[in-house]
Amino acid sequence: MVDTQYPGTAVQRLKAVHERVKVIAADGTLNGPWEDVRRRILWAGGLRDLPDAVPGQGYTGHSFNDWNHVDLTTMNDETTDNQNDGSVKGIAVGNRLGNGIRVASLPELGSGGSWSTCAMGCNQDPPNDVAHIQFRSRIAFKLVWVPNENYDTFVLVDDDGTLLAKGKPSDGPDALPHLRERMMNYKIMEGSKYSYAADQIANET
């Protein structure tokens, strides 16, 4: 199965991720302590929790823990070793992620790999971010912090910006990524299809 618009997408793996997201959206775990929530998001995305690995060799301690590494991308085996040729602005030329993807990806979700790629550039149309440009892949989901008073609620949205899940960690806001990280996360989405669900929730509160 091939995605003709983004042929680097591991389509079956993306579908398997969406099935896992349905599980965590319904079981209440996205409202637990932040580190437990983050581990469940990693699991749903097909990634191991490897906070002690060497960066570049499977380390996922940064995944969903800052403003930028919030795109869960499922790329096929042919594009896992793709590098940034300079097309993704603000990202290092090269940006070799292949080895880390292979180490951290859970195999039971299907062929290809998963990674928490950088969202910077996603507010352009079409998105000019690592997933869509370097890997020629759709995202399975993106984490966006809701711009309410405390930025203490998040949503997971798919490549079209459709809401898949939301959560409000029980130990927030102090245990969450720093407020400036959460605010910057929303800022890089603002005005794009990816901020729509977060905006809707903010308007309801």
Side-chain angles (χ1 to χ4, degrees), residues 157-201:
V157 299
D158 69 10
D159 199 62
D160 294 321
T162 302
L163 179 66
L164 300 176
K166 65 178 180 178
K168 183 177 181 180
S170 59
D171 54 356
D174 291 342
L176 304 178
H178 195 280
L179 176 60
R180 64 174 173 266
E181 301 280 346
R182 306 193 313 269
M183 294 176 70
M184 184 64 176
N185 165 268
Y186 173 76
K187 186 174 179 59
I188 67 168
M189 319 288 179
E190 189 175 10
S192 75
K193 61 185 177 181
Y194 299 122
S195 73
Y196 181 78
D199 291 336
Q200 291 292 105
I201 293 172

Side-chain angles (χ1 to χ4, degrees), residues 46-189:
L47 282 172
R48 295 182 170 93
D49 178 31
L50 298 174
D52 299 318
V54 175
Q57 299 297 321
Y59 175 72
T60 55
H62 64 308
S63 301
F64 308 105
N65 246 343
D66 63 14
W67 62 272
N68 198 19
H69 294 91
V70 294
D71 282 0
L72 194 289
T73 304
T74 54
M75 63 286 287
N76 61 34
D77 291 324
E78 289 72 32
T79 58
T80 297
D81 288 304
N82 281 13
Q83 298 179 36
N84 177 30
D85 62 4
S87 298
V88 188
K89 304 306 180 186
I91 302 297
V93 173
N95 195 35
R96 293 180 173 88
L97 299 174
N99 287 339
I101 292 168
R102 283 184 283 273
V103 170
S105 294
L106 296 170
E108 63 264 27
L109 271 70
S111 63
S114 298
W115 197 244
S116 56
T117 57
C118 293
M120 181 190 304
C122 70
N123 61 337
Q124 299 181 39
D125 186 16
N128 190 56
D129 52 32
V130 169
H132 295 90
I133 301 300
Q134 180 173 335
F135 292 107
R136 297 183 300 140
S137 174
R138 295 185 190 275
I139 60 165
F141 64 78
K142 180 190 300 287
L143 185 150
V144 185
W145 289 99
V146 173
N148 57 15
E149 182 178 0
N150 294 314
Y151 285 77
D152 59 359
T153 300
F154 67 87
V155 294
L156 302 181
V157 299
D158 69 10
D159 199 62
D160 294 321
T162 302
L163 179 66
L164 300 176
K166 65 178 180 178
K168 183 177 181 180
S170 59
D171 54 356
D174 291 342
L176 304 178
H178 195 280
L179 176 60
R180 64 174 173 266
E181 301 280 346
R182 306 193 313 269
M183 294 176 70
M184 184 64 176
N185 165 268
Y186 173 76
K187 186 174 179 59
I188 67 168
M189 319 288 179

